[in-house]
Amino acid sequence: MEPVPYLDLQTQYHVLRREVLEALEEVCDSTRFAQGPATAEFEAKFAAYCGVDHCVSLNSGTSALHLALRCLGVGPGDEVITVSMTFIATAWAISYVGATPVFVDIDPVRRTLNPDRLEAAITPRTKAIIPVHLYGTPAELERINAIAERHGLPVIEDAAQAHGAKYRGKRVGQFGQIACFSFYPSKNLGAYGEGGALITNNAAIAERARSLRDHAQKQKYLHDEIGYNYRMDSFQAAVLSIKLEHLDEWNAARADRARYYTELLKDSSYKLPAHPSESECVWHCYVIETPERDRVRSVLQDVGIETAVHYPVPIHLQKSYAHLGYQSGDLPVTEALCEQCLSLPIFPELSKEKISRVASVLRDLEKSLTGQA
Ligand SMILES: Cc1ncc(COP(=O)(O)O)c(C=O)c1O
């Protein structure tokens, strides 16, 4: 039987091939490889798509988070509240500015920052809050913002997995002072290399981020503070402008596939992802939970179905953060999800027939897991 890949970028590439190669050729012909018209064009398009005034294109999502914290003046001695259930880069950015990440547990339904746990984590040293729209599901932004406002704290949305997702009818990225995106190739909006962006409605923040990404030079060769080379190259911007036109259609196809999985697996013993009514999730991942995760994964692998685990070890228990002193059991919902999560194949071009196959293997397996003949 044909294997089911976790992600297949080939089909999409073949549809866009001619258009993309022409756009890349245009960049070559222009010889404006860094911060030329292609990056300016993408920035304008992505800001408009997200419903904000400014987009600063960057070389990665990690750089976006780093610059967001720099722009908010977060530094040594400060604390930044976030989740441990995220890709490590969310925490890296906090460490890069010399601040300390403070991890709060997730809500077991949305798997995003639990607002009920937030207030207790705020101290006089807290300088920002970073909710993560994990797997494409928006965090509970209204409740998080209400708490943040009460304490005068800025919110940075980590939207690296949630391009185009909506919360209460509005696209994510408009709820915090700043939002950060990654365009890593496997993302819902993926470049053909590395890429990221910071978006904001605050003109001063956008201006500072533009300066910081380009060696902090407002004027050529004059550097008023320590800067970085975090620029997006023009090839990535050209590809992203083309792909942005298709994002809504691809996100709708992902949502359709997520609904299909849920329909086929409902009433099973697997815990399925929620479809929260206040949000339009963009299904970067479709993650089920089972205490037999490793066994289920290996059976799927044996029949050619590729899966992924996002993420096997929560950040608070990573060796790199051992110095923070967290113990196993500190964040029980996060730890349980890391032990039991299994990401099933999902991408816009994945056929319904393949989804049925994945679901039927899971159904058969369930019988053996629960001891039924
Ligand atoms: C939630 C989250 N934050 C940040 C990042 C970092 O983005 P990048 O890989 O572009 O640096 C990622 C990317 O995987 C992510 O998933």
Side-chain angles (χ1 to χ4, degrees):
M1 258 204 255
E2 233 190 295
V4 185
Y6 177 68
L7 170 68
D8 170 19
L9 294 174
Q10 287 283 341
T11 317
Q12 195 180 86
Y13 169 63
H14 285 292
V15 174
L16 302 177
R17 189 171 178 276
R18 266 201 40 207
E19 203 183 345
V20 164
L21 294 180
E22 272 171 26
L24 295 180
E25 198 169 5
E26 225 173 89
V27 172
C28 288
D29 290 342
S30 77
T31 67
R32 302 280 303 277
F33 298 115
Q35 281 189 234
T39 45
E41 187 186 324
F42 173 66
E43 288 178 345
K45 284 184 175 165
F46 194 63
Y49 176 84
C50 294
V52 297
D53 293 339
H54 309 280
C55 166
V56 181
S57 63
L58 300 164
N59 62 349
S60 75
T62 309
S63 305
L65 289 160
H66 182 194
L67 290 194
L69 291 165
R70 283 276 329 255
C71 287
L72 293 173
V74 180
D78 295 338
E79 292 174 354
V80 176
I81 297 175
T82 190
V83 284
S84 171
M85 190 66 219
T86 176
F87 181 60
I88 192 85
T90 315
W92 284 162
I94 300 167
S95 301
Y96 292 169
V97 295
T100 303
V102 173
F103 300 111
V104 299
D105 215 345
I106 51 168
D107 132 42
V109 175
R110 290 178 189 73
R111 294 137 158 193
T112 55
L113 192 149
N114 188 342
D116 292 335
R117 302 271 174 277
L118 179 55
E119 202 137 28
I122 296 174
T123 74
R125 286 161 60 175
T126 308
K127 288 287 155 17
I129 301 166
I130 311 184
V132 179
H133 307 314
L134 193 72
Y135 309 145
T137 301
E140 272 195 277
L141 293 161
E142 207 167 77
R143 292 184 59 203
I144 293 168
N145 276 357
I147 297 166
E149 263 167 44
R150 219 168 30 243
H151 292 266
L153 293 170
V155 169
I156 301 168
E157 293 174 66
D158 183 339
Q161 302 187 4
H163 320 71
K166 286 186 181 164
Y167 177 79
R168 301 198 185 281
K170 274 168 64 180
R171 284 197 204 290
V172 299
Q174 306 176 46
F175 293 87
Q177 270 74 358
I178 299 177
C180 299
F181 290 86
S182 162
F183 303 120
Y184 184 75
S186 60
K187 296 291 196 262
N188 290 31
L189 180 61
Y192 285 2
E194 303 285 342
L198 174 160
I199 66 169
T200 182
N201 280 319
N202 182 317
I205 288 178
E207 194 191 336
R208 177 120 187 266
R210 282 181 204 288
S211 162
L212 285 171
R213 78 169 166 190
D214 188 25
H215 302 287
Q217 48 187 349
K218 285 195 188 123
Q219 274 178 277
K220 217 166 169 58
Y221 305 130
L222 293 181
H223 313 274
D224 294 343
E225 59 180 327
I226 305 276
Y228 313 91
N229 178 358
Y230 281 175
R231 298 175 302 238
M232 176 185 278
D233 75 66
S234 303
F235 291 117
Q236 303 312 328
V239 170
L240 288 167
S241 283
I242 292 170
K243 291 185 76 175
L244 182 58
E245 302 287 324
H246 299 271
L247 182 58
D248 285 343
E249 152 211 334
W250 289 335
N251 281 342
R254 282 175 181 271
D256 195 41
R257 276 137 190 85
R259 273 192 298 275
Y260 196 47
Y261 268 128
T262 298
E263 192 184 309
L264 298 176
L265 292 170
K266 67 171 188 276
D267 308 323
S268 70
S269 61
Y270 303 105
K271 186 179 167 204
L272 305 182
H275 297 247
S277 58
E278 79 280 359
S279 296
E280 277 178 40
C281 306
V282 291
W283 303 98
H284 178 58
C285 302
Y286 185 92
V287 179
I288 62 168
E289 285 169 71
T290 165
E292 302 281 348
R293 191 262 313 282
D294 294 338
R295 196 166 139 215
V296 172
R297 190 171 192 211
S298 102
V299 170
L300 289 169
Q301 184 72 39
D302 290 345
V303 296
I305 297 167
E306 199 184 359
T307 57
V309 171
H310 302 104
Y311 298 94
V313 178
I315 300 182
H316 69 286
L317 300 180
Q318 294 281 353
K319 278 193 196 144
S320 47
Y321 283 113
H323 60 279
L324 297 180
Y326 286 91
Q327 304 293 325
S328 195
D330 284 348
L331 301 172
V333 183
T334 295
E335 290 165 33
L337 182 56
C338 287
E339 275 165 25
Q340 306 200 8
C341 63
L342 184 65
S343 304
L344 302 182
I346 191 161
F347 50 93
E349 301 80 12
L350 180 65
S351 71
K352 293 268 172 95
E353 179 261 316
K354 285 187 171 153
I355 292 176
S356 302
R357 232 180 85 209
V358 176
S360 100
V361 176
L362 285 169
R363 284 288 194 180
D364 287 348
L365 187 56
E366 188 188 19
K367 287 180 207 142
S368 77
L369 294 173
T370 55
Q372 293 167 27

